[in-house]
Amino acid sequence: MAGRLRDVPQEWAVTATATPFVGAKTSVRTDDVVMPDGSVSGRDYQVHPGSVAVLALDEENRVLVLSQYRHPVRHKLWEIPAGLLDVPGENPLHAAERELYEEAHVKAADWRVLADVYTTPGGCDEAVRVFLARGLSEATGARFEVAHEEADMEIARVPLPDLVRGVLAGDLHNNCLAVGVLSLSAALAGDGLEALRPADAPWPARPFH
C-alpha cells in the first residue's frame, strides 16, 4: 500500500451494553456489537482511564528505570515511570510531570511525545502516551511518600543501548519501556529528536484541556 499508513477511527453499532464489574480505577464492560455480516457478537473488555509514561534521558544517554512487582504477571519488572490519568480531561503532560516527580523525585526541562499506543486493544481500551523527558535535575521539596508495591521499588539509570538489547533478548517485558526505548532509538537513527511531536500535541484517544 502506497503512502503513509494511519489508523482510522471507526465505531460499529452496539445493540446492548452492560457493566458487570466496577473497580476502583477500571471496570469491565460487555457490548453486543453488530458485525459486518449483520450478526451480533458479544465483546468483553476492560474500561481504563488511560495512562502516561516517561522515558527520562539524562546527559549521559542513560534512561531512568524502576523495578516494581506486578502481581498479575508474577514478575518484578523494570519499567519507566508511569501512572494513570486520574482526572478526566487532565493534561497528560501535567500527569507525566507528576509521575516523574513522585516515582523518581526528578524534574525535566524539555518534553516531547515519543509515541501514543493502545496497550491491549483486543481486550482493553487503555491508551498510553509515552513522553521523552530531557534536561533532568533533582526535584525540590519533600519526596513523595510511597506505599504498597512502590515501597519496594528500585531505581537505576541504564544506558539506552543496554535497554534495547534487553528488549530484543526477551529480558525486559514492560510494554511502555519497550515502546519507549525502541521509539527513541528509531528517532535517533532517523529524523532526530527535534522532529518529535511537541509535548502538547493533540491526543484524540484521550482529549485534554
Side-chain angles (χ1 to χ4, degrees), residues 17-42:
T17 187
T19 306
F21 170 79
V22 177
K25 298 293 185 181
T26 66
S27 60
V28 173
R29 182 176 296 162
T30 299
D31 288 343
D32 292 336
V33 184
V34 180
M35 300 289 116
D37 63 359
S39 63
V40 177
S41 184

Side-chain angles (χ1 to χ4, degrees), residues 23-140:
K25 298 293 185 181
T26 66
S27 60
V28 173
R29 182 176 296 162
T30 299
D31 288 343
D32 292 336
V33 184
V34 180
M35 300 289 116
D37 63 359
S39 63
V40 177
S41 184
R43 292 292 180 267
D44 302 323
Y45 59 100
Q46 183 183 19
V47 179
H48 195 284
S51 305
V52 292
V54 185
L55 193 150
L57 186 71
D58 69 15
E59 294 179 355
E60 298 178 38
N61 206 35
R62 300 178 304 174
V63 177
L64 192 156
V65 291
L66 315 165
S67 179
Q68 187 170 346
Y69 176 67
R70 295 300 188 183
H71 186 71
V73 296
R74 278 28 173 215
H75 271 71
K76 195 170 185 181
L77 302 179
W78 284 103
E79 308 178 349
I80 57 177
L84 297 176
L85 288 168
D86 293 312
V87 181
E90 180 181 18
N91 187 312
L93 174 59
H94 297 164
E97 291 172 331
R98 180 181 67 244
E99 293 302 327
L100 186 60
Y101 168 77
E102 291 183 355
E103 295 192 352
H105 202 65
V106 166
K107 62 181 180 180
D110 184 87
W111 292 81
R112 307 290 173 112
V113 175
L114 268 178
D116 296 329
V117 295
Y118 292 114
T119 55
T120 50
C124 179
D125 70 352
E126 181 185 16
V128 179
R129 168 157 282 189
V130 183
F131 288 92
L132 171 65
R134 293 180 293 166
L136 307 184
S137 61
E138 190 79 5
T140 57

